[in-house]
mmCIF file of all heavy atoms in Angstrom:
data_model
loop_
_atom_site.group_PDB
_atom_site.id
_atom_site.type_symbol
_atom_site.label_atom_id
_atom_site.label_comp_id
_atom_site.label_asym_id
_atom_site.label_seq_id
_atom_site.Cartn_x
_atom_site.Cartn_y
_atom_site.Cartn_z
ATOM 1 N N VAL A 2 0.865 -1.193 -0.002
ATOM 2 C CA VAL A 2 0.002 0.016 -0.011
ATOM 3 C C VAL A 2 0.919 1.221 0.006
ATOM 4 O O VAL A 2 1.763 1.355 -0.872
ATOM 5 C CB VAL A 2 -0.971 -0.043 1.178
ATOM 6 C CG1 VAL A 2 -2.047 -1.069 0.868
ATOM 7 C CG2 VAL A 2 -0.296 -0.461 2.474
ATOM 8 N N ALA A 3 0.714 2.121 0.930
ATOM 9 C CA ALA A 3 1.577 3.310 0.979
ATOM 10 C C ALA A 3 3.035 2.854 1.145
ATOM 11 O O ALA A 3 3.311 1.814 1.724
ATOM 12 C CB ALA A 3 1.149 4.220 2.130
ATOM 13 N N ALA A 4 3.961 3.644 0.679
ATOM 14 C CA ALA A 4 5.347 3.310 0.709
ATOM 15 C C ALA A 4 5.796 2.932 2.118
ATOM 16 O O ALA A 4 5.546 3.666 3.071
ATOM 17 C CB ALA A 4 6.211 4.469 0.198
ATOM 18 N N GLY A 5 6.406 1.738 2.208
ATOM 19 C CA GLY A 5 6.911 1.283 3.507
ATOM 20 C C GLY A 5 5.891 0.651 4.392
ATOM 21 O O GLY A 5 6.216 0.306 5.517
ATOM 22 N N ALA A 6 4.649 0.472 3.935
ATOM 23 C CA ALA A 6 3.639 -0.091 4.823
ATOM 24 C C ALA A 6 3.951 -1.496 5.224
ATOM 25 O O ALA A 6 3.766 -1.872 6.386
ATOM 26 C CB ALA A 6 2.261 -0.032 4.151
ATOM 27 N N ALA A 7 4.411 -2.326 4.261
ATOM 28 C CA ALA A 7 4.755 -3.704 4.599
ATOM 29 C C ALA A 7 5.932 -3.748 5.543
ATOM 30 O O ALA A 7 5.971 -4.564 6.453
ATOM 31 C CB ALA A 7 5.034 -4.497 3.328
ATOM 32 N N VAL A 8 6.900 -2.871 5.343
ATOM 33 C CA VAL A 8 8.041 -2.862 6.236
ATOM 34 C C VAL A 8 7.556 -2.481 7.625
ATOM 35 O O VAL A 8 8.065 -2.959 8.636
ATOM 36 C CB VAL A 8 9.093 -1.856 5.728
ATOM 37 C CG1 VAL A 8 10.274 -1.779 6.696
ATOM 38 C CG2 VAL A 8 9.555 -2.235 4.329
ATOM 39 N N ALA A 9 6.578 -1.646 7.700
ATOM 40 C CA ALA A 9 6.108 -1.158 9.014
ATOM 41 C C ALA A 9 5.532 -2.289 9.847
ATOM 42 O O ALA A 9 5.409 -2.158 11.064
ATOM 43 C CB ALA A 9 5.026 -0.108 8.797
ATOM 44 N N CYS A 10 5.214 -3.433 9.198
ATOM 45 C CA CYS A 10 4.705 -4.607 9.987
ATOM 46 C C CYS A 10 5.783 -5.044 10.945
ATOM 47 O O CYS A 10 5.500 -5.600 12.020
ATOM 48 C CB CYS A 10 4.326 -5.746 9.044
ATOM 49 S SG CYS A 10 2.919 -5.378 8.016
ATOM 50 N N ASP A 11 7.077 -4.863 10.578
ATOM 51 C CA ASP A 11 8.151 -5.259 11.443
ATOM 52 C C ASP A 11 8.702 -4.062 12.257
ATOM 53 O O ASP A 11 8.959 -4.174 13.428
ATOM 54 C CB ASP A 11 9.312 -5.858 10.641
ATOM 55 C CG ASP A 11 8.902 -7.186 10.013
ATOM 56 O OD1 ASP A 11 8.111 -7.898 10.647
ATOM 57 O OD2 ASP A 11 9.362 -7.521 8.931
ATOM 58 N N ASP A 12 8.858 -2.911 11.532
ATOM 59 C CA ASP A 12 9.574 -1.831 12.150
ATOM 60 C C ASP A 12 8.655 -0.767 12.776
ATOM 61 O O ASP A 12 9.105 0.013 13.651
ATOM 62 C CB ASP A 12 10.437 -1.117 11.115
ATOM 63 C CG ASP A 12 11.441 -2.091 10.484
ATOM 64 O OD1 ASP A 12 11.838 -3.020 11.199
ATOM 65 O OD2 ASP A 12 11.857 -1.892 9.342
ATOM 66 N N GLY A 13 7.396 -0.739 12.396
ATOM 67 C CA GLY A 13 6.507 0.243 12.957
ATOM 68 C C GLY A 13 5.553 -0.427 13.939
ATOM 69 O O GLY A 13 4.642 -1.109 13.531
ATOM 70 N N PRO A 14 5.727 -0.187 15.245
ATOM 71 C CA PRO A 14 4.890 -0.871 16.231
ATOM 72 C C PRO A 14 3.408 -0.541 16.135
ATOM 73 O O PRO A 14 2.570 -1.251 16.630
ATOM 74 C CB PRO A 14 5.498 -0.449 17.559
ATOM 75 C CG PRO A 14 6.226 0.831 17.227
ATOM 76 C CD PRO A 14 6.733 0.685 15.865
ATOM 77 N N ASP A 15 3.109 0.592 15.470
ATOM 78 C CA ASP A 15 1.723 1.010 15.395
ATOM 79 C C ASP A 15 0.979 0.471 14.173
ATOM 80 O O ASP A 15 -0.214 0.722 14.004
ATOM 81 C CB ASP A 15 1.650 2.570 15.389
ATOM 82 C CG ASP A 15 2.159 3.166 16.682
ATOM 83 O OD1 ASP A 15 2.059 2.483 17.716
ATOM 84 O OD2 ASP A 15 2.653 4.287 16.628
ATOM 85 N N THR A 16 1.720 -0.228 13.278
ATOM 86 C CA THR A 16 1.123 -0.778 12.081
ATOM 87 C C THR A 16 1.098 -2.304 12.154
ATOM 88 O O THR A 16 2.141 -2.909 12.346
ATOM 89 C CB THR A 16 1.888 -0.321 10.814
ATOM 90 O OG1 THR A 16 1.899 1.110 10.801
ATOM 91 C CG2 THR A 16 1.201 -0.838 9.576
ATOM 92 N N THR A 17 -0.061 -2.891 12.002
ATOM 93 C CA THR A 17 -0.155 -4.333 12.088
ATOM 94 C C THR A 17 -0.385 -4.918 10.689
ATOM 95 O O THR A 17 -0.749 -4.216 9.742
ATOM 96 C CB THR A 17 -1.356 -4.723 12.989
ATOM 97 O OG1 THR A 17 -2.574 -4.299 12.359
ATOM 98 C CG2 THR A 17 -1.221 -4.100 14.364
ATOM 99 N N ILE A 18 -0.223 -6.210 10.561
ATOM 100 C CA ILE A 18 -0.504 -6.908 9.318
ATOM 101 C C ILE A 18 -1.984 -6.732 8.948
ATOM 102 O O ILE A 18 -2.324 -6.554 7.780
ATOM 103 C CB ILE A 18 -0.113 -8.395 9.415
ATOM 104 C CG1 ILE A 18 1.384 -8.530 9.341
ATOM 105 C CG2 ILE A 18 -0.753 -9.185 8.235
ATOM 106 C CD1 ILE A 18 1.890 -9.930 9.337
ATOM 107 N N ARG A 19 -2.829 -6.762 9.947
ATOM 108 C CA ARG A 19 -4.289 -6.538 9.693
ATOM 109 C C ARG A 19 -4.481 -5.214 8.985
ATOM 110 O O ARG A 19 -5.248 -5.078 8.025
ATOM 111 C CB ARG A 19 -5.047 -6.561 10.999
ATOM 112 C CG ARG A 19 -6.497 -6.043 10.923
ATOM 113 C CD ARG A 19 -7.445 -7.016 10.339
ATOM 114 N NE ARG A 19 -8.725 -6.412 9.997
ATOM 115 C CZ ARG A 19 -9.849 -7.083 9.880
ATOM 116 N NH1 ARG A 19 -9.867 -8.379 10.068
ATOM 117 N NH2 ARG A 19 -10.944 -6.489 9.520
ATOM 118 N N GLU A 20 -3.836 -4.129 9.462
ATOM 119 C CA GLU A 20 -4.006 -2.835 8.842
ATOM 120 C C GLU A 20 -3.453 -2.780 7.428
ATOM 121 O O GLU A 20 -4.004 -2.117 6.535
ATOM 122 C CB GLU A 20 -3.314 -1.753 9.709
ATOM 123 C CG GLU A 20 -3.993 -1.570 11.068
ATOM 124 C CD GLU A 20 -3.196 -0.668 12.002
ATOM 125 O OE1 GLU A 20 -1.973 -0.793 12.029
ATOM 126 O OE2 GLU A 20 -3.824 0.107 12.712
ATOM 127 N N VAL A 21 -2.353 -3.484 7.187
ATOM 128 C CA VAL A 21 -1.848 -3.591 5.847
ATOM 129 C C VAL A 21 -2.816 -4.301 4.898
ATOM 130 O O VAL A 21 -3.087 -3.847 3.808
ATOM 131 C CB VAL A 21 -0.448 -4.323 5.812
ATOM 132 C CG1 VAL A 21 0.017 -4.549 4.382
ATOM 133 C CG2 VAL A 21 0.583 -3.531 6.602
ATOM 134 N N LEU A 22 -3.370 -5.400 5.389
ATOM 135 C CA LEU A 22 -4.297 -6.152 4.540
ATOM 136 C C LEU A 22 -5.604 -5.401 4.295
ATOM 137 O O LEU A 22 -6.265 -5.652 3.294
ATOM 138 C CB LEU A 22 -4.636 -7.505 5.248
ATOM 139 C CG LEU A 22 -3.449 -8.442 5.463
ATOM 140 C CD1 LEU A 22 -3.926 -9.761 6.064
ATOM 141 C CD2 LEU A 22 -2.694 -8.715 4.155
ATOM 142 N N GLU A 23 -5.949 -4.505 5.154
ATOM 143 C CA GLU A 23 -7.159 -3.716 4.963
ATOM 144 C C GLU A 23 -7.030 -2.766 3.761
ATOM 145 O O GLU A 23 -8.032 -2.224 3.265
ATOM 146 C CB GLU A 23 -7.506 -2.895 6.213
ATOM 147 C CG GLU A 23 -8.046 -3.741 7.336
ATOM 148 C CD GLU A 23 -8.347 -2.950 8.582
ATOM 149 O OE1 GLU A 23 -7.849 -1.761 8.629
ATOM 150 O OE2 GLU A 23 -9.022 -3.430 9.497
ATOM 151 N N ASN A 24 -5.801 -2.552 3.297
ATOM 152 C CA ASN A 24 -5.561 -1.648 2.149
ATOM 153 C C ASN A 24 -4.707 -2.356 1.097
ATOM 154 O O ASN A 24 -3.740 -1.808 0.595
ATOM 155 C CB ASN A 24 -4.880 -0.364 2.647
ATOM 156 C CG ASN A 24 -5.709 0.385 3.626
ATOM 157 O OD1 ASN A 24 -6.609 1.138 3.245
ATOM 158 N ND2 ASN A 24 -5.452 0.186 4.934
ATOM 159 N N ALA A 25 -5.102 -3.578 0.817
ATOM 160 C CA ALA A 25 -4.291 -4.448 -0.049
ATOM 161 C C ALA A 25 -5.050 -4.905 -1.272
ATOM 162 O O ALA A 25 -6.257 -4.708 -1.404
ATOM 163 C CB ALA A 25 -3.802 -5.677 0.758
ATOM 164 N N THR A 26 -4.323 -5.541 -2.189
ATOM 165 C CA THR A 26 -4.935 -6.119 -3.378
ATOM 166 C C THR A 26 -4.927 -7.639 -3.285
ATOM 167 O O THR A 26 -3.893 -8.237 -3.054
ATOM 168 C CB THR A 26 -4.160 -5.671 -4.642
ATOM 169 O OG1 THR A 26 -4.223 -4.261 -4.738
ATOM 170 C CG2 THR A 26 -4.766 -6.303 -5.890
ATOM 171 N N PHE A 27 -6.111 -8.262 -3.460
ATOM 172 C CA PHE A 27 -6.262 -9.691 -3.270
ATOM 173 C C PHE A 27 -6.673 -10.305 -4.588
ATOM 174 O O PHE A 27 -7.313 -9.682 -5.458
ATOM 175 C CB PHE A 27 -7.337 -9.998 -2.214
ATOM 176 C CG PHE A 27 -6.893 -9.702 -0.813
ATOM 177 C CD1 PHE A 27 -7.193 -8.436 -0.265
ATOM 178 C CD2 PHE A 27 -6.241 -10.610 -0.044
ATOM 179 C CE1 PHE A 27 -6.829 -8.129 1.053
ATOM 180 C CE2 PHE A 27 -5.826 -10.318 1.259
ATOM 181 C CZ PHE A 27 -6.151 -9.094 1.792
ATOM 182 N N LEU A 28 -6.356 -11.612 -4.740
ATOM 183 C CA LEU A 28 -6.838 -12.367 -5.884
ATOM 184 C C LEU A 28 -8.330 -12.641 -5.751
ATOM 185 O O LEU A 28 -8.859 -12.750 -4.619
ATOM 186 C CB LEU A 28 -6.112 -13.725 -5.945
ATOM 187 C CG LEU A 28 -4.556 -13.669 -6.054
ATOM 188 C CD1 LEU A 28 -3.989 -15.072 -5.950
ATOM 189 C CD2 LEU A 28 -4.136 -13.010 -7.364
ATOM 190 N N THR A 29 -9.002 -12.783 -6.862
ATOM 191 C CA THR A 29 -10.406 -13.217 -6.862
ATOM 192 C C THR A 29 -10.486 -14.529 -7.578
ATOM 193 O O THR A 29 -9.602 -14.941 -8.351
ATOM 194 C CB THR A 29 -11.331 -12.208 -7.548
ATOM 195 O OG1 THR A 29 -10.886 -11.974 -8.904
ATOM 196 C CG2 THR A 29 -11.307 -10.830 -6.822
ATOM 197 N N LEU A 30 -11.567 -15.273 -7.336
ATOM 198 C CA LEU A 30 -11.673 -16.646 -7.869
ATOM 199 C C LEU A 30 -11.837 -16.709 -9.372
ATOM 200 O O LEU A 30 -11.692 -17.797 -9.963
ATOM 201 C CB LEU A 30 -12.847 -17.361 -7.200
ATOM 202 C CG LEU A 30 -12.669 -17.608 -5.701
ATOM 203 C CD1 LEU A 30 -13.868 -18.354 -5.148
ATOM 204 C CD2 LEU A 30 -11.425 -18.361 -5.368
ATOM 205 N N ASP A 31 -12.164 -15.587 -9.992
ATOM 206 C CA ASP A 31 -12.290 -15.595 -11.458
ATOM 207 C C ASP A 31 -11.021 -15.153 -12.142
ATOM 208 O O ASP A 31 -10.989 -14.873 -13.334
ATOM 209 C CB ASP A 31 -13.464 -14.705 -11.898
ATOM 210 C CG ASP A 31 -13.275 -13.248 -11.472
ATOM 211 O OD1 ASP A 31 -12.257 -12.946 -10.825
ATOM 212 O OD2 ASP A 31 -14.172 -12.458 -11.794
ATOM 213 N N GLY A 32 -9.914 -15.083 -11.394
ATOM 214 C CA GLY A 32 -8.627 -14.749 -11.961
ATOM 215 C C GLY A 32 -8.294 -13.260 -11.954
ATOM 216 O O GLY A 32 -7.259 -12.848 -12.424
ATOM 217 N N GLY A 33 -9.166 -12.447 -11.366
ATOM 218 C CA GLY A 33 -8.916 -11.027 -11.294
ATOM 219 C C GLY A 33 -8.304 -10.619 -9.972
ATOM 220 O O GLY A 33 -7.758 -11.437 -9.211
ATOM 221 N N GLU A 34 -8.501 -9.344 -9.599
ATOM 222 C CA GLU A 34 -8.003 -8.784 -8.390
ATOM 223 C C GLU A 34 -8.964 -7.793 -7.854
ATOM 224 O O GLU A 34 -9.779 -7.204 -8.561
ATOM 225 C CB GLU A 34 -6.634 -8.096 -8.574
ATOM 226 C CG GLU A 34 -5.524 -9.013 -9.007
ATOM 227 C CD GLU A 34 -4.223 -8.259 -9.281
ATOM 228 O OE1 GLU A 34 -4.284 -7.016 -9.251
ATOM 229 O OE2 GLU A 34 -3.192 -8.903 -9.550
ATOM 230 N N ILE A 35 -8.960 -7.567 -6.514
ATOM 231 C CA ILE A 35 -9.773 -6.557 -5.874
ATOM 232 C C ILE A 35 -8.849 -5.800 -4.882
ATOM 233 O O ILE A 35 -8.172 -6.421 -4.090
ATOM 234 C CB ILE A 35 -10.999 -7.160 -5.127
ATOM 235 C CG1 ILE A 35 -11.811 -6.067 -4.449
ATOM 236 C CG2 ILE A 35 -10.566 -8.252 -4.143
ATOM 237 C CD1 ILE A 35 -12.451 -5.047 -5.407
#
C-alpha cells in the first residue's frame, strides 16, 4: 500500500498486518484482483 507499509509490519509498532491487509490487493476466484 503506501510506501513502506509492509516494512512497518516489522519496524513500525503502530502498524499491524491486519492494517496492511485492509488496504491491499487480493486475488479473486475468477482470476482477477480486488
Side-chain angles (χ1 to χ4, degrees):
V2 285
V8 179
C10 294
D11 291 327
D12 300 333
D15 296 331
T16 303
T17 66
I18 287 183
R19 166 79 193 203
E20 292 171 322
V21 173
L22 298 183
E23 287 178 346
N24 299 278
T26 299
F27 290 92
L28 301 173
T29 58
L30 294 181
D31 60 359
E34 296 177 353
I35 179 64

